[in-house]
Amino acid sequence: MSEHSTYTPGNSVEKWLDDRLPVVRFAKEHLMDFPTPKNLNYWWTFGAILVMCLGIQIVTGIILAMHYTPNIAMAFDSVEHIRRDVNGGRIIQAVHAVGASMFFVALYIHMFRGLYYGSYKAPREIIWILGVLIFILTVATAFMGYILPWGQMSFWGATVISNIFSAIPVVGENIKQLVLGGFAVGNPTLNRFFSLHYLLPFVIAAIVGLHIWALHVPGNNNPIGVEVKESRDTVAFHPYYTMKDLFAMVVFMIPFAWFVFFAPDILGHPDNYIMANSQVTPAHIVPEWYLLPFYTILRAIDFNVLFIDSKLGGVIAMGGALVMLLVLPWLDTSKVRSGSFRPMFKWFYWLFAINFVALTYLGAQPAEGIYTVLAKVCTAYYFIYFLVVLPVLSRIETPKPLPTSISESVLGKAHA
Amino acid sequence: MATQAEHSSTNRRDFLYVATGAVGAVGAAAVVWPLINQLNPDASTLALASIEFDVAAIPEGQSVTITWRGLPVFVRHRTAAEIEEARAVPLADLKDPQTDEERVKEGHEQWLVMIANCTHLGCIPVGEAGEFDGWFCPCHGSHYDSAGRIRRGPAPANLVVPPYEFVSDTLIQIG
């Protein structure tokens, strides 16, 4: 899928432009004529949906910043001002807040798609790693955005997460103060988080550019995981996938709009409608739902391991959960990409998916009784999946026979 | 002479190249440092001087939370039973071994002054709760005893006793 110029300038103006800045040629080759496997299913539409989500967050975010005040005395009121007084503000604010959740819905589906179909395997390791970086940056951006309304959950979420830095031996406390700009979360913290919350989406957009660039070198993976062999295995990106993606976007917007119009606060937490108070911790601190799996892993480690105390241990486990994703391409060495042709992998994969949902559920439960036990079990499986199951399956599993080509799998053997 | 210099593995040009690069790196670091250092607590934050607080108004068995350097601080008037309980604990049972005497001022054993942030991730523990008649942090389930020492849960250390002293019989100065 290397360079294959299909563009001929239509008139003298296009010719003039093409000789100086071949932007039309670039768009034609990469957005229209790009050869795309013809068997992509709807799980492949989430890339485009994510681009839409990022666009929605940036546009609504820029608007919100025009009415928001990043000062601890005024931030909480300014968000209420946006919701009550600004023209259309209640919808724009809701789109931004609900948009963050929908962004993560799409992000997790996109990642689980990659996990099932082996999209992280050679030659797509860099695409996958850039994707993990995008995920980490999106988590950071969403976290800082949640601080801005300056409610109780904003404040205490920031307190809990910034204390993670203090787990670092020796310099931890200094790093924490550097991050917060004080001894506790305060006005300097709010100001810098606002600045970074505005900056990071553009950094994410740049990495998305690299992610797509890296994708356009080997081209898309596909549901059978067999590489494109000839031109009849592919169709042009436009109109076949532009239309399919567009349709998926419209469908995706239905629940999105339902939340915005009918339940804009249901994904949030009532405590965040109480202004931040440094003297009172809410009885039950929960991060936003999309951070819960990692939050569960953080607090599952409540015991010391050798010289590592429980606090540092929790931080290492949470960081390790992300590191697992980064090194995944070298843990799963099975030559077969698609989970559809891996009879044993399938079971462990779905167990992993259920386990991830369980981690999410446990993160919202109080840290006591049976929940702490289950949190340890689920955390253990998360790591076992990456460190034991995938490397071992790569050795012992006998995959099902693969179709010889995409065309054969689509048309059946009779036509091949 | 010239031939020898050309053949030697490091010549004057290499030296100048490395030296220039090193000076440039030092210069770049000198420019970057203030850009990072501005994130550190500023003068107005650091200027929050020591505070004084009169503990006389706290009845036995009750506590108050005051603010020092933006951090909440517990001041608890302990009951005799709580002190006795804290002193009866063998040090071997403690995750962060410290005697009760080390956590209070001599002659003022009933007063326990501690920064009110859980040493795990900074939540404010709930008083008179948990399984050790002390504090319980609802965030991640750390239990502290009646001397504010960690007994169970993910927190690594005892609640921090800030630097303070009794200026008079009932007046404490923190910081």
Side-chain angles (χ1 to χ4, degrees), chain A residues 49 52-54 56-57 60 91-106 249-264 267:
Chain A
I49 287 171
M52 174 184 74
C53 285
L54 182 60
I56 290 173
Q57 291 310 94
T60 53
I91 296 296
I92 295 168
Q93 193 272 341
V95 169
H96 196 74
V98 170
S101 279
M102 297 306 289
F103 200 140
F104 278 95
V105 168
M249 287 178 191
V250 171
V251 173
F252 186 80
M253 286 310 291
I254 294 171
F256 195 133
W258 182 83
F259 279 118
V260 169
F261 295 135
F262 298 108
L267 297 165

Side-chain angles (χ1 to χ4, degrees), chain B:
Chain B
M1 289 287 284
T3 335
Q4 200 182 2
E6 274 165 31
H7 286 293
S8 90
S9 56
T10 54
N11 55 30
R12 185 168 171 272
R13 188 171 290 265
D14 290 332
F15 171 76
L16 287 174
Y17 181 73
V18 172
T20 310
V23 172
V26 171
V31 172
V32 167
W33 172 242
L35 300 181
I36 293 172
N37 189 38
Q38 54 81 24
L39 289 169
N40 271 318
D42 60 28
S44 70
T45 305
L46 294 171
L48 290 169
S50 59
I51 58 162
E52 286 190 348
F53 181 70
D54 191 346
V55 297
I58 310 171
E60 187 172 310
Q62 292 198 14
S63 45
V64 296
T65 310
I66 58 178
T67 303
W68 171 64
R69 297 204 309 193
L71 297 167
V73 173
F74 287 142
V75 182
R76 175 154 182 86
H77 191 166
R78 298 193 294 173
T79 63
E82 285 173 343
I83 299 170
E84 203 178 313
E85 188 188 346
R87 303 207 158 175
V89 179
L91 280 187
D93 286 4
L94 298 173
K95 193 174 183 182
D96 181 10
Q98 213 178 10
T99 63
D100 185 63
E101 287 84 351
E102 287 167 335
R103 297 181 55 78
V104 293
K105 300 292 175 196
E106 206 181 330
H108 302 279
E109 286 84 0
Q110 70 272 42
W111 302 107
L112 189 57
V113 180
M114 308 179 297
I115 292 176
N117 295 105
C118 178
T119 56
H120 181 225
L121 293 174
C123 298
I124 300 181
V126 179
E128 291 163 77
E131 289 171 25
F132 300 91
D133 292 322
W135 285 263
F136 172 69
C137 185
C139 292
H140 306 93
S142 291
H143 297 257
Y144 296 90
D145 66 13
S146 57
R149 295 174 297 197
I150 181 65
R151 299 299 291 277
R152 192 195 305 157
N158 302 332
L159 289 174
V160 175
V161 177
Y164 76 97
E165 58 193 34
F166 277 87
V167 185
S168 74
D169 224 24
T170 60
L171 193 67
I172 58 170
Q173 182 184 329
I174 305 178

Side-chain angles (χ1 to χ4, degrees), chain A residues 156 159-160 163-164 177-178 181-184 192 278-281 283 285 295 298-299 301-302 304 309-311 367-368, chain B residues 36 38-41 45-46 65-67 69-72 95 119-124 136 138-141 153-156:
Chain A
W156 289 101
T159 299
V160 166
N163 265 288
I164 285 178
Q177 289 178 14
L178 182 81
F183 303 101
R192 64 190 57 187
S278 68
Q279 298 278 319
V280 181
T281 305
I285 296 186
Y295 188 64
L298 170 75
R299 62 181 193 176
I301 311 298
D302 56 4
N304 296 354
D309 69 39
S310 48
K311 179 175 171 182
E368 55 197 36
Chain B
I36 293 172
Q38 54 81 24
L39 289 169
N40 271 318
T45 305
L46 294 171
T65 310
I66 58 178
T67 303
R69 297 204 309 193
L71 297 167
K95 193 174 183 182
T119 56
H120 181 225
L121 293 174
C123 298
I124 300 181
F136 172 69
C139 292
H140 306 93

Side-chain angles (χ1 to χ4, degrees), chain A residues 268-391:
Chain A
H269 199 290
D271 272 305
N272 223 31
Y273 291 94
I274 303 167
M275 194 170 152
N277 180 351
S278 68
Q279 298 278 319
V280 181
T281 305
H284 186 196
I285 296 186
V286 244
E288 292 280 82
W289 70 266
Y290 41 79
L291 303 179
L292 289 173
F294 298 97
Y295 188 64
T296 306
I297 293 173
L298 170 75
R299 62 181 193 176
I301 311 298
D302 56 4
F303 46 88
N304 296 354
V305 184
L306 303 176
F307 58 92
I308 299 168
D309 69 39
S310 48
K311 179 175 171 182
L312 182 58
V315 174
I316 291 173
M318 190 172 72
L322 295 169
V323 171
M324 289 299 109
L325 294 172
L326 286 173
V327 298
L328 170 61
W330 295 276
L331 294 174
D332 180 3
T333 52
S334 169
K335 295 286 176 234
V336 175
R337 287 201 190 93
S338 172
S340 304
F341 300 98
R342 302 184 61 187
M344 292 166 78
F345 166 87
K346 256 186 210 171
W347 289 97
F348 289 103
Y349 171 85
W350 287 112
L351 185 58
F352 179 76
I354 293 165
N355 187 66
F356 198 75
V357 174
L359 283 170
T360 308
Y361 169 78
L362 291 168
Q365 303 310 315
E368 55 197 36
I370 185 74
Y371 297 123
T372 56
V373 179
L374 288 174
K376 288 188 182 77
V377 172
C378 291
T379 299
Y381 182 69
Y382 181 95
F383 286 96
I384 288 169
Y385 177 77
F386 288 107
L387 295 175
V388 180
V389 171
L390 290 180

